[in-house]
Amino acid sequence: MQERTKEKIQELLEKHNALLVAHFYQKDEVVELAHFCGDSLELARKASKDSRNLVVFCGVGFMGESVKILAPNKRVIMPKIACCSMARMISSDYYDRSMELLKSYGIEDIFPMTYINSSAEVKAKVGAMGGVVCTSANAKKIFEYARSANKRIFFLPDKCLGANLADMFNLKYSILGMDSKEDILQSDVICYNGFCSVHQLFSVDDIDFYRQKYEDILIAVHPECKPEVVKKADFVGSTSQIIAYVKGLPDSQAVAVGTEFNLVSRLRPQSNNTFVLSSTIPECPTMNETSPEDVLKLLEAYDQGRVHNEILLDKEIADMAKRALDKMLELS
Ligand code: 13P
Ligand code: SF4
């Protein structure tokens, strides 16, 4: 990045008392600009509590929306409102259709739990039913809460995270729209059929390959990976948790990491012992699109009174979504 671009961004951030935050999957040059980086939970929590009223959010759309829902008086603007393909897999209409299908199977007592990778509209539907949001960092704890409702859990949109949680508690799970009515009726956790196209790339073959090549290698993966991959891993956690785990290892310890490429390549630049758990480059294409130039353009426009890419939400939807997000924060 050009030094001048960086200086101008810093000047404009100061002038407008703006906070700049970035998810770990952003490019290095964007991460470098941020006041802080974090996983979805940390970003939602810290950015919504920050004293600055203008938030420049470098990440995917649902992350910016989460800050706006939690702190409605803040202005949240995004250099690019990047799309999370998983969050796109469920709309409020698909949510309603899923509920109808469950009801047609005779399942009425449903506790909805949505991964934070979903739109404000979907979170609002979940909030309206008394359900809760989770992130990869707190999923286990929130799942325990969901279980205490003694209802059938409808987990959305990530079928992998839902299945991984069910496995953790030795529960039976099924996938709505994929499995038979009988399977759905017999399961404790019913998952929506969504997934992350990036985390689908990691396979058991990749794990076997690394284990054969490096005898003592450790495998660390994100819980959006497939259940068979998660079962064979040594560590499973959110992006922040993976970073802490890998950084805590001695430099000589080999580790292969199953999450997005930008994050992994920043982990231990001095060590030749950190590998991407894939033969392809697992990039989150939309996260990777934001550049320092986009940040500068956004701030220059703001400075001239033109507000681009602002997160604006319908009040009723935001209030209802907040119920499910507040519940998550209270529990985690
Ligand atoms: P984290 O909350 O772990 O940062 O995950 C967000 C995400 O989208 C992973 O693909
Ligand atoms: Fe969404 Fe997957 Fe990108 Fe995460 S990595 S933001 S789940 S598409």
Side-chain angles (χ1 to χ4, degrees):
M1 165 184 22
Q2 286 189 349
E3 221 26 58
R4 190 65 203 121
T5 305
K6 193 172 175 178
E7 278 167 21
K8 279 200 215 153
I9 290 172
Q10 280 161 352
E11 272 165 34
L12 288 167
L13 287 172
E14 256 177 56
K15 179 173 174 189
H16 294 285
N17 192 27
L19 170 74
L20 192 150
V21 297
H23 187 264
F24 295 121
Y25 292 171
Q26 295 280 308
K27 285 182 200 292
D28 291 358
E29 51 269 40
V30 173
V31 162
E32 237 180 77
L33 293 168
H35 291 113
F36 60 82
C37 291
D39 63 19
S40 310
L41 180 63
E42 291 164 335
L43 289 171
R45 195 188 261 147
K46 285 201 213 160
S48 62
K49 293 260 176 295
D50 194 87
S51 61
R52 286 160 279 201
N53 272 330
L54 178 64
V55 181
V56 179
F57 203 115
C58 302
V60 274
F62 77 80
M63 295 179 178
E65 279 187 359
S66 298
V67 179
K68 183 70 184 173
I69 294 167
L70 289 168
N73 294 328
K74 286 194 190 295
R75 277 195 117 156
V76 182
I77 53 177
M78 302 185 71
K80 287 238 163 90
I81 307 188
C83 147
C84 163
S85 55
M86 179 202 287
R88 270 286 189 91
M89 288 177 189
I90 185 158
S91 62
S92 80
D93 189 37
Y94 277 161
Y95 183 90
D96 289 345
R97 287 203 229 167
S98 302
M99 285 302 150
E100 276 162 28
L101 184 58
L102 289 171
K103 283 185 185 149
S104 75
Y105 289 170
I107 303 172
E108 297 277 348
D109 252 5
I110 301 160
F111 186 91
M113 174 171 170
T114 183
Y115 192 27
I116 197 164
N117 298 38
S118 53
S119 66
E121 286 79 6
V122 168
K123 289 186 181 81
K125 294 267 171 180
V126 169
M129 284 180 67
V132 68
V133 175
C134 77
T135 75
S136 58
N138 60 20
K140 184 170 177 243
K141 205 174 220 178
I142 305 291
F143 191 79
E144 275 166 356
Y145 166 76
R147 284 197 71 199
S148 70
N150 281 325
K151 293 181 177 179
R152 208 84 66 110
I153 296 174
F154 177 48
F155 189 90
L156 57 131
D158 188 7
K159 66 177 170 190
C160 293
L161 181 55
N164 289 326
L165 286 164
D167 279 345
M168 204 183 284
F169 290 86
N170 283 321
L171 297 173
K172 199 169 165 4
Y173 67 85
S174 58
I175 317 286
L176 194 62
M178 295 286 284
D179 291 327
S180 66
K181 179 178 170 185
E182 288 64 41
D183 283 341
I184 302 281
L185 286 171
Q186 280 165 21
S187 58
D188 311 294
V189 183
I190 302 161
C191 304
Y192 186 81
N193 187 19
F195 55 86
C196 166
S197 45
V198 182
H199 288 86
Q200 292 297 297
L201 290 174
F202 307 109
S203 69
V204 168
D205 283 351
D206 295 324
I207 297 184
D208 293 344
F209 168 82
Y210 275 110
R211 291 216 196 275
Q212 265 170 27
K213 201 160 173 197
Y214 304 91
E215 208 185 320
D216 297 324
I217 196 165
L218 295 171
I219 308 289
V221 301
H222 195 276
E224 288 172 14
C225 291
K226 294 175 194 158
E228 59 270 31
V229 169
V230 164
K231 279 194 192 118
K232 286 195 127 190
D234 299 292
F235 181 82
V236 185
S238 76
T239 51
S240 279
Q241 291 162 350
I242 290 175
I243 292 169
Y245 173 75
V246 174
K247 289 202 165 160
L249 299 172
D251 260 6
S252 56
Q253 173 65 58
V255 60
V257 185
T259 194
E260 193 274 345
F261 182 77
N262 287 333
L263 182 157
V264 183
S265 59
R266 269 194 306 268
L267 271 177
R268 292 196 298 179
Q270 261 58 277
S271 154
N272 290 326
N273 282 317
T274 309
F275 304 98
V276 178
L277 182 68
S278 172
S279 48
T280 53
I281 297 184
E283 279 174 344
C284 176
T286 53
M287 281 269 202
N288 224 6
E289 271 181 12
T290 305
S291 68
E293 289 68 32
D294 296 324
V295 177
L296 182 57
K297 266 192 218 152
L298 182 82
L299 284 168
E300 283 177 339
Y302 187 86
D303 193 48
Q304 291 154 15
R306 286 178 286 117
V307 185
H308 292 165
N309 291 349
E310 180 169 11
I311 300 292
L312 297 169
L313 298 170
D314 176 275
K315 188 173 170 347
E316 226 172 281
I317 287 174
D319 287 350
M320 208 49 92
K322 193 167 186 299
R323 284 193 197 179
L325 267 171
D326 278 342
K327 188 75 211 165
M328 170 188 86
L329 291 180
E330 183 194 314
L331 292 165
S332 53

